[in-house]
Amino acid sequence: MAIEKVAVIGAGVMGAAIAAHVANAGIPAVLLDIVPEGADNRNMLAEGAVAKMLKTKPAPFMHKRNAKLVTTGNLEDNLDLVADCDWIVEAIIERPNLKQDLYTKLDAVRKKGSIVTSNTSTIPLKTLMAGMPDSLQRDFAITHFFNPPRYMRLFELVKGEQTREDAIEELRQFADVSLGKEVVDCYDTPGFIGNRIGIYWSFVAIKSAFDLDMSVEEADAVCGKPMGIPSTGIFGLGDLTGIDLGPKVNESMLNELPESDPFCQEYDADHPMVATIAKMIDEGYTGRKGKGGFYRMNKEGGKKTKEARNLKTGEYAKAEKPNLKSVKAARKGLRALVETDDVGGRYAWSILSKVISYSASLVGEIADDIIAIDSAMKTGYAWKYGPFEQLNQMGVQYFIDRLEADGMPVPAFLKKVGDRPLYKEEGTDALYMTVDGEYAVVPVAEGAWTLADIKRGNEPVMSNRGASIWDLGDGVACLELHTKMNSIDQDIVTMLGQASKLNKKGFKALVIGHDADNFSVGANVGLALFAANAAMWPVIENSISEGQNALMKLKYAPFPVVAAPAGMALGGGCEIVLAADAVQAHAESYMGLVEVGVGVIPGFGGCKELVMRAMHNKRRPGGAMPALSGVFEAISTAKVSTSAAEARDQLILREGDEITMNRKRVLADAKKKALQLAEGYEAPERQEAYLPGPSAAAAFDMAVSGFVTMGRATAYDAVVSEQVARVLSGGDTDITEPVTEKKLLELEQEGFMTLIRNHKTLDRIEHMLTTGKPLRN
């Protein structure tokens, strides 16, 4: 039975966001909650939750229109709404008796064969199903989302002894393909995988900072990027999730775990950390949702200052960036970090020694293999490396030797591994160490491969320092960018040009995509700044021409080109996407032409392409101006879509372009689309448009001048926007004269070169390179 409609019971932060993400997948969702005592609007909790999510940032909905797919109601009047739902998700308060009462009510109205699951984070399935009818137990599982459900990819799936296998497979398929989740099968143990290790890690990291008399800034500097953990660090994470959450999850784990568990052994109710956190909660210092937490923003004197809390005195002072040898040493890897003889190195070892050992002791108990555990920590806690990948970097034997030297027990699993790596590659296979101490091939789900799987043991078709072309099989090639942040340089432009001739090497289609977090952040503006400072104007002009020519050749190549963006596709990266015949975008793609932020305009055809799309859009309203106004606004304000769905509004995605929810499926879906287009493919016809010319440019300039007067734009914004207006209006043309793509490209180049010669543009570029933020000059 396919999942075509979902009900979520509980409109709290998690429940509401789960319903929103179901809607993101294009699936209708029902959201129900209780009727508050004395409420005039009996649906106020569910309706209020949806209304709040439409204003929340980061947004739970990928597009505001998705909210229309969520039907709200209450449990007293609208329980019948679940009757035609294929999957019912319970996301209410973590109290087994309340959950069981709800299951009884749901069981009375749900349709036969519908799946019922709980989003519990710690309560075992056997506890939830105690005394429940066999018919419900066969349809019941735990599906644990991580917060926020739209962005955190982990989906822990737990089945009971009676759960039917086809229900588990349906959930696994739906979560993977429709919701874009990394599905990890867990055993029915307290905290499952992510929270079992994550709660222990959080406790150990905070406690160790107290024990080593570290400042919160020092702790976060180490337990952050150097360890492959989000830059918030451990104390910053506490502020983000809510400091009052810690004692609750600790209590839950203490109640569920046996006294012999390392977490119970590590926990000390009399430790000063416990009293400090209790005091902070009592005083309202619960993190970002409260008066502050381990950090706070001081707004005295009209200036915001980030302050950090002294863990001993409770006083706040300006947060300082620590200067630790260990943090610098970490650039060479985890082993260099833990071997550095300073407080940071000792702190890193105190965490890693315990957390990795704990993880190793749980292999076979909480999951079948190390892959599941590593995957859970990467996709649920946003670690760059899972605990076993961390261990693999340090060396298993090194870790064992150091544990023994410290008098710490060595987990049985690690004794089996010995001096062998936990992960390794042989030919085209990636191998991992099983619980039995033997190697097995890392499984790759059909349609969920990555470019790394293609590259392993193979050589590229062609390559340079900026990009490579790989054979995906079946006559499809893949162009991979691999500069820093995939910023576009001369090497990438050269490879784009080479890619337009791939038919001569026997290829019938091209995909542009890769495994990196970001498709491309745009042109390497550092190179442009260097050339401008040296007055190398012909070099800059030539680089613009080459970029335009390369993308035009790809657009009109005798084979289909499919762009497969994910993450940021900005500036020149967006222009590569715009040049493709079709797009297979990851749902979390953030695209836009942002060049005005550094004082220039799109120069590789971005203006040209959006003009043509706007003017040839069958749904455009009225004459040229309404269509062009939307393009002008997007480019002159450096608008970036917050999802692939929003990119449709900006015409970056067109009718026929598609969105893939699961990041691991983007390239496979793009290849499939490329093969479909290759059948009987004919290159597109050259385009032209009738544009209004100077009158339109004047209208755009007047609008910007109004914004400058109101203080919403700077004087130099107006200068840059004037060049955008000139390109979009067609330059010195008339509405009766056709404007070709070539003409628009010439206008782009003229506008770019005019601006790059202006010292205020160079100031913007330098400021962006120095601070990472746009200059409002």
Side-chain angles (χ1 to χ4, degrees):
M1 176 181 68
I3 296 176
E4 298 177 346
K5 188 175 182 181
V6 176
V8 181
I9 314 300
V13 174
M14 277 297 291
I18 291 170
H21 196 55
V22 169
N24 289 335
I27 304 295
V30 172
L31 180 63
L32 305 179
D33 210 316
I34 61 172
V35 178
E37 187 175 347
D40 293 329
N41 178 1
R42 295 171 65 81
N43 298 340
M44 66 176 292
L45 292 182
E47 289 180 7
V50 173
K52 184 177 181 180
M53 288 192 295
L54 286 170
K55 300 176 183 177
T56 300
K57 291 184 180 181
F61 289 111
M62 290 179 173
H63 197 289
K64 289 186 176 182
R65 64 170 170 259
N66 294 345
K68 295 177 181 178
L69 287 171
V70 181
T71 301
T72 55
N74 68 77
L75 288 168
E76 294 181 22
D77 306 324
N78 310 116
L79 196 59
D80 60 310
L81 290 176
V82 308
D84 63 342
C85 293
D86 306 302
W87 177 23
I88 305 168
V89 185
E90 168 270 303
I92 67 170
I93 192 169
E94 293 284 79
R95 287 173 55 183
N97 62 319
L98 295 181
K99 291 178 184 287
Q100 289 194 326
D101 288 345
L102 175 61
Y103 300 153
T104 299
K105 294 175 183 177
L106 292 173
D107 202 29
V109 297
R110 72 186 181 100
K111 68 179 181 181
K112 184 178 180 182
S114 62
I115 304 169
V116 181
T117 69
S118 175
N119 185 58
T120 182
S121 58
T122 56
I123 304 173
L125 186 148
K126 56 181 174 289
T127 300
L128 297 176
M129 283 292 98
M132 292 286 106
D134 290 347
S135 57
L136 176 61
Q137 293 196 47
R138 285 193 291 272
D139 294 334
F140 189 85
I142 285 174
T143 50
H144 182 214
F145 290 82
F146 274 65
N147 194 30
R150 170 183 165 182
Y151 301 96
M152 301 307 291
R153 291 175 50 218
L154 179 58
F155 182 92
E156 292 183 320
L157 182 56
V158 184
K159 65 179 180 180
E161 293 181 0
Q162 296 191 48
T163 310
R164 53 189 175 88
E165 194 56 45
D166 55 339
I168 293 296
E169 188 53 42
E170 189 63 49
L171 288 169
R172 183 182 290 114
Q173 180 73 8
F174 184 77
D176 175 351
V177 178
S178 299
L179 300 182
K181 297 300 176 186
E182 184 82 11
V183 181
V184 175
D185 293 288
C186 313
Y187 289 136
D188 187 21
T189 57
F192 314 122
I193 298 176
N195 282 344
R196 180 71 175 272
I197 295 172
I199 291 171
Y200 179 76
W201 160 73
S202 178
F203 183 84
V204 165
I206 293 174
K207 183 183 176 185
S208 295
F210 272 80
D211 293 341
L212 290 169
D213 195 23
M214 298 181 75
S215 68
V216 295
E217 303 102 301
E218 287 175 329
D220 284 349
V222 176
C223 192
K225 188 176 179 181
M227 290 173 62
I229 289 164
S231 57
T232 55
I234 186 61
F235 288 105
L237 178 63
D239 282 356
L240 181 65
T241 59
I243 293 170
D244 53 335
L245 179 63
K248 294 175 183 177
V249 296
N250 289 343
E251 182 181 6
S252 177
M253 295 303 286
L254 289 169
N255 291 335
E256 294 289 346
L257 293 171
E259 290 185 6
S260 59
D261 188 89
F263 178 77
C264 299
Q265 295 292 310
E266 187 79 29
Y267 188 83
D268 179 4
D270 296 325
H271 194 278
M273 172 192 72
V274 177
T276 295
I277 290 176
K279 185 174 185 290
M280 291 176 69
I281 295 170
D282 288 341
E283 295 175 349
Y285 288 98
T286 53
R288 296 187 187 182
K289 66 182 180 181
K291 296 190 296 184
F294 297 110
Y295 298 96
R296 73 176 185 186
M297 295 304 296
N298 189 330
K299 302 177 183 178
E300 292 180 3
K303 185 179 180 181
K304 292 183 179 180
T305 303
K306 185 178 182 180
E307 296 183 334
R309 186 182 181 102
N310 185 298
L311 295 177
K312 284 187 174 181
T313 68
E315 296 177 351
Y316 286 90
K318 183 181 178 181
E320 302 290 347
K321 184 177 181 180
N323 183 21
L324 295 171
K325 290 190 301 180
S326 50
V327 171
K328 297 174 183 176
R331 297 169 189 162
K332 298 179 181 179
L334 282 179
R335 189 157 166 178
L337 172 65
V338 299
E339 287 183 337
T340 304
D341 187 19
D342 70 355
V343 68
R346 292 189 291 276
Y347 179 56
W349 175 250
S350 71
I351 297 170
L352 291 170
S353 61
K354 293 175 182 176
V355 174
I356 291 175
S357 292
Y358 190 50
S359 302
S361 71
L362 296 172
V363 177
E365 177 184 335
I366 61 175
D368 285 329
D369 51 54
I370 63 174
I371 297 175
I373 295 174
D374 279 344
S375 178
M377 299 314 297
K378 289 189 292 184
T379 57
Y381 277 77
W383 289 10
K384 187 174 182 180
Y385 308 106
F388 296 102
E389 291 171 329
Q390 292 176 328
L391 177 55
N392 213 47
Q393 290 178 40
M394 282 192 285
V396 181
Q397 192 61 56
Y398 167 82
F399 187 77
I400 291 173
D401 292 344
R402 191 156 173 184
L403 287 181
E404 291 176 338
D406 288 352
M408 298 175 66
V410 178
F413 172 63
L414 296 188
K415 291 179 179 178
K416 290 182 183 178
V417 178
D419 60 357
R420 296 175 294 167
L422 290 160
Y423 293 100
K424 67 176 184 177
E425 295 181 358
E426 285 187 359
T428 59
D429 289 331
L431 306 177
Y432 74 99
M433 185 69 69
T434 68
V435 67
D436 297 322
E438 302 296 334
Y439 286 110
V441 176
V442 174
V444 177
E446 184 178 354
W449 45 265
T450 64
L451 190 58
D453 296 317
I454 299 296
K455 292 163 60 176
R456 191 179 302 111
N458 293 309
E459 294 294 326
V461 176
M462 59 181 73
S463 183
N464 63 25
R465 290 178 299 179
S468 300
I469 294 176
W470 299 87
D471 187 346
L472 297 183
D474 303 312
V476 180
C478 181
L479 173 60
E480 173 198 23
L481 313 185
H482 45 67
T483 56
K484 184 177 181 180
M485 297 288 284
N486 292 321
S487 60
I488 299 170
D489 61 9
Q490 186 58 48
D491 286 325
I492 287 178
V493 171
T494 298
M495 196 58 67
L496 287 167
Q498 292 292 323
S500 64
K501 308 171 189 175
L502 281 171
N503 57 306
K504 296 179 180 179
K505 290 184 175 291
F507 291 101
K508 59 184 178 182
L510 172 69
V511 168
I512 304 178
H514 40 70
D515 299 338
D517 292 338
N518 294 305
F519 182 77
S520 171
V521 296
N524 187 330
V525 293
L527 297 177
L529 180 64
F530 173 80
N533 283 331
M536 300 166 64
W537 310 122
V539 172
I540 297 174
E541 195 163 18
N542 185 61
S543 68
I544 295 294
S545 295
E546 289 185 357
Q548 290 179 346
N549 291 337
L551 291 184
M552 284 292 281
K553 286 178 181 178
L554 274 182
K555 181 176 180 178
Y556 294 106
F559 53 82
V561 177
V562 177
M568 291 187 286
L570 306 177
C574 184
E575 289 175 299
I576 292 174
V577 173
L578 290 170
D581 290 280
V583 180
Q584 188 74 45
H586 181 229
E588 298 296 348
S589 292
Y590 316 119
M591 297 184 274
L593 299 172
V594 297
E595 286 86 348
V596 298
V598 289
V600 293
I601 65 172
F604 283 2
C607 297
K608 176 266 299 182
E609 192 61 34
L610 287 188
V611 165
M612 291 299 179
R613 292 185 184 192
M615 296 304 294
H616 291 279
N617 183 2
K618 296 177 182 177
R619 299 175 184 173
R620 71 179 173 92
M625 282 304 290
L628 294 175
S629 293
V631 176
F632 179 75
E633 179 186 0
I635 296 176
S636 62
T637 62
K639 187 175 183 180
V640 176
S641 71
T642 61
S643 68
E646 280 193 3
R648 291 193 190 280
D649 300 342
Q650 296 170 234
L651 302 180
I652 296 171
L653 295 192
R654 302 150 295 182
E655 188 175 340
D657 290 336
E658 297 181 59
I659 297 173
T660 297
M661 292 292 280
N662 193 320
R663 179 69 178 86
K664 282 188 174 180
R665 294 184 173 274
V666 174
L667 287 177
D669 288 350
K671 177 186 174 182
K672 182 179 178 181
K673 190 170 192 66
L675 287 170
Q676 291 171 347
L677 292 174
E679 293 295 324
Y681 178 78
E682 293 184 6
E685 295 182 1
R686 300 276 171 169
Q687 293 180 301
E688 57 184 29
Y690 292 87
L691 301 175
S695 62
F700 289 141
D701 291 342
M702 286 180 62
V704 176
S705 294
F707 286 126
V708 173
T709 302
M710 291 185 288
R712 295 172 61 184
T714 68
Y716 197 61
D717 287 336
V719 173
V720 178
S721 294
E722 182 181 353
Q723 295 300 328
V724 177
R726 177 168 168 75
V727 177
L728 301 191
S729 61
D732 299 322
T733 187
D734 183 86
I735 194 68
T736 62
E737 300 175 2
V739 178
T740 64
E741 290 182 271
K742 181 181 178 182
K743 176 61 177 177
L744 289 176
L745 289 174
E746 290 172 354
L747 289 171
E748 280 189 18
Q749 187 172 48
E750 289 172 11
F752 188 99
M753 293 306 300
T754 297
L755 292 169
I756 198 69
R757 286 183 166 93
N758 193 310
H759 72 90
K760 290 191 175 183
T761 283
L762 302 186
D763 289 344
R764 285 193 174 191
I765 294 175
E766 188 168 6
H767 190 270
M768 179 65 76
L769 291 171
T770 304
T771 69
K773 298 177 181 179
L775 176 65
R776 307 294 296 146
N777 62 347

